Amino acid sequence: MLKIPFSKVSCDGNELAYVREVLASGWLTTAGKTQTFEELFRERVGARFAFAVNSCTAGMHLALEALGVGPGDLVLVPTMTFTATAEVIRYLGADPIFLDVEYGSSLVTQDILSEAVRKYPETKVFMPVHFGGQSAPLLSANGKGLLDLCREKAIRVVEDAAHTFPAKCLGRMIGSLGDATCFSFYANKTITTAEGGMLTTDDPAIAERVKIMRLHGIDHDVWDRFTADKPAWEYDVIAPGFKYNMPDVAAAIGLAQLERADIFHRERERCARFYRERLAGLETIDLPLVHGNMEDHAWHLFVIILNERSPVSRHRFIKIMAERGIGTSVHYKPLHRMTYYRERYNLRPEDYPNAERIWKGCVSLPIYPSLSDADLDYICKVIWEVLS
């Protein structure tokens, strides 16, 4: 029997070589490797500024803080996301307003956002989640994308792009569209630094604030104090900042991963195409709803939904898959079902019909570059056997 984990990182490029360079340098935390990683990533997504951080969560916190989000402010966020998207709102004393999503894509649509803005006209920020690697409809050929609506209403946009590198929306790279975009480089993401993230923006004011708040509110790069040729011990603290910097050891891994990002992307797309071809016609599941071109999707996740015709429950399906050596996961239990948010905001499942329908049957299948066609064939055969 094959053993196929849900996720498996590919680190067979220059990762070890670049990490050794950092170890040999005698300086392990934020320095030259991080700066190079920031610059190359910035160029890749077409943004004016990029800041490496120690998680996507940190990036979203910094972005909201830079926009002045605070107590009493309202921030729109989809319910189908990881808790980090909403928790950073609470860090600042603001309140999340949870939105339902489109069935099949788990994305916020123009209609959903329009209704939320009508209901909550005082909204300060919208946080679209590019679920699974697919861009939310920020742009639209008819000029009625999510960004257009937010700009009409003076709502700022902080994108949760934890799943979404590299991906595009109408030909433009995610990372160069909203007021700020935050990426994740966690171990199971499309590229990894083990732990880490990146914040990109074109806004000089956001960039200046993030640069200061990322590392204790200190007024210049701390590593210069220890690596400069001339004494540079003097510094000032101009705000009560955070400890959100990325160390060079992590950035070294990221640089090697970035070199192979296009290869990883092609291989993930290959897996997605295989699934879509081999699982087409299986009436007991719904395949991911894809808007636009397959190649514009980052394919971090491949989520099937066991629908009302499924002969087994999701719990039973996951158990059988594990017994057959196949790892799976669930993305996500929606936030309106989480105890903290449900009780604090008196949330009701019936207010989120699409998310509820997704949640009751969603299962994420393995999708990563090293999956062979034989692995994929085995997975699909088991799925057909269990669910047909």
Side-chain angles (χ1 to χ4, degrees):
M1 182 175 68
L2 290 175
K3 289 289 186 180
I4 303 173
F6 171 68
S7 179
K8 186 177 182 181
V9 68
S10 297
C11 281
D12 48 1
N14 288 318
E15 287 86 356
L16 281 175
Y18 292 166
V19 169
R20 287 192 185 102
E21 289 176 3
V22 175
L23 297 177
S25 76
W27 187 260
L28 306 189
T29 189
T30 308
K33 281 284 194 287
T34 303
Q35 289 187 328
T36 300
F37 187 35
E38 289 173 335
E39 179 62 20
L40 292 176
F41 193 89
R42 180 195 67 77
E43 291 177 354
R44 179 61 190 272
V45 301
R48 187 174 176 187
F49 306 99
F51 298 92
V53 288
N54 55 24
S55 69
C56 184
T57 308
M60 291 188 291
H61 186 197
L62 287 168
L64 292 179
E65 197 278 340
L67 290 174
V69 172
D73 288 332
L74 300 183
V75 180
L76 303 178
V77 61
T79 187
M80 287 298 291
T81 184
F82 186 58
T83 184
T85 320
E87 74 187 38
V88 295
I89 301 167
R90 296 298 298 138
Y91 290 175
L92 297 163
D95 293 306
I97 301 296
F98 295 103
L99 308 181
D100 201 9
V101 295
E102 179 184 46
Y103 182 79
S105 72
S106 292
L107 299 174
V108 172
T109 64
Q110 291 92 333
D111 288 343
I112 292 170
L113 182 61
S114 294
E115 175 60 21
V117 171
R118 184 196 63 78
K119 190 174 181 180
Y120 301 99
E122 67 274 37
T123 295
K124 185 163 187 173
V125 176
F126 169 48
M127 297 182 71
V129 174
H130 304 306
F131 185 90
Q134 180 171 211
S135 167
L138 298 181
L139 305 175
S140 173
N142 63 10
K144 295 182 180 180
L146 303 182
L147 280 181
D148 298 295
L149 177 58
C150 288
R151 286 166 180 159
E152 287 175 8
K153 304 296 183 180
I155 297 171
R156 307 302 293 269
V157 176
V158 174
E159 301 169 54
D160 180 344
H163 298 177
T164 321
F165 176 80
K168 295 180 179 179
C169 181
L170 288 188
R172 290 188 59 183
M173 287 291 293
I174 296 300
S176 62
L177 298 174
D179 292 293
T181 307
C182 303
F183 298 88
S184 174
F185 305 137
Y186 184 66
N188 66 349
K189 294 303 194 294
T190 54
I191 68 170
T192 187
T193 58
E195 296 275 3
M198 190 77 73
L199 184 157
T200 61
T201 183
D202 286 344
D203 188 321
I206 293 175
E208 183 61 27
R209 183 66 176 177
V210 168
K211 184 177 181 181
I212 292 167
M213 296 300 287
R214 175 175 57 168
L215 192 61
H216 300 300
I218 294 174
D219 64 345
H220 63 270
D221 289 327
V222 175
W223 71 277
D224 283 341
R225 295 163 42 221
F226 300 98
T227 60
D229 293 332
K230 297 180 180 180
W233 62 269
E234 182 76 28
Y235 67 91
D236 194 14
V237 174
I238 59 178
F242 311 107
K243 184 67 168 69
Y244 282 165
N245 59 304
M246 176 184 286
D248 262 23
V249 172
I253 298 171
L255 282 169
Q257 292 272 299
L258 190 59
E259 290 173 349
R260 305 182 67 222
D262 287 334
I263 296 173
F264 294 160
H265 184 215
R266 286 196 298 271
E267 291 303 302
R268 285 177 174 273
E269 184 184 336
R270 171 184 60 83
C271 296
R273 289 184 182 276
F274 194 106
Y275 282 139
R276 291 184 71 83
E277 179 179 339
R278 292 295 299 275
L279 297 178
L282 181 54
E283 295 182 350
T284 54
I285 65 171
D286 295 326
L287 294 174
L289 179 60
V290 178
H291 299 289
N293 300 321
M294 290 277 287
E295 58 267 25
D296 288 344
H297 197 307
W299 295 112
H300 167 56
L301 299 175
F302 193 95
V303 180
I304 62 172
I305 302 172
L306 277 62
N307 60 36
E308 295 81 1
R309 293 184 290 268
S310 175
V312 299
S313 68
R314 188 214 1 233
H315 178 76
R316 177 63 179 157
F317 174 72
I318 290 173
K319 185 174 185 295
I320 294 171
M321 294 289 278
E323 290 170 351
R324 301 292 292 272
I326 302 167
T328 58
S329 190
V330 173
H331 296 85
Y332 291 101
K333 181 179 180 179
L335 294 185
H336 69 262
R337 280 183 165 265
M338 299 297 186
T339 300
Y340 171 77
Y341 297 109
R342 184 185 71 242
E343 294 182 353
R344 183 174 182 86
Y345 296 106
N346 298 314
L347 303 177
R348 303 179 306 168
E350 56 265 33
D351 292 331
Y352 307 92
N354 290 336
E356 280 291 301
R357 188 176 170 210
I358 294 167
W359 147 245
K360 290 175 180 177
C362 63
V363 179
S364 299
L365 302 181
I367 182 167
Y368 44 89
S370 61
L371 275 175
S372 68
D373 284 355
D375 295 331
L376 294 165
D377 182 65
Y378 176 70
I379 294 168
C380 291
K381 284 180 177 177
V382 174
I383 292 173
W384 271 97
E385 178 185 325
V386 176
L387 294 180
S388 63

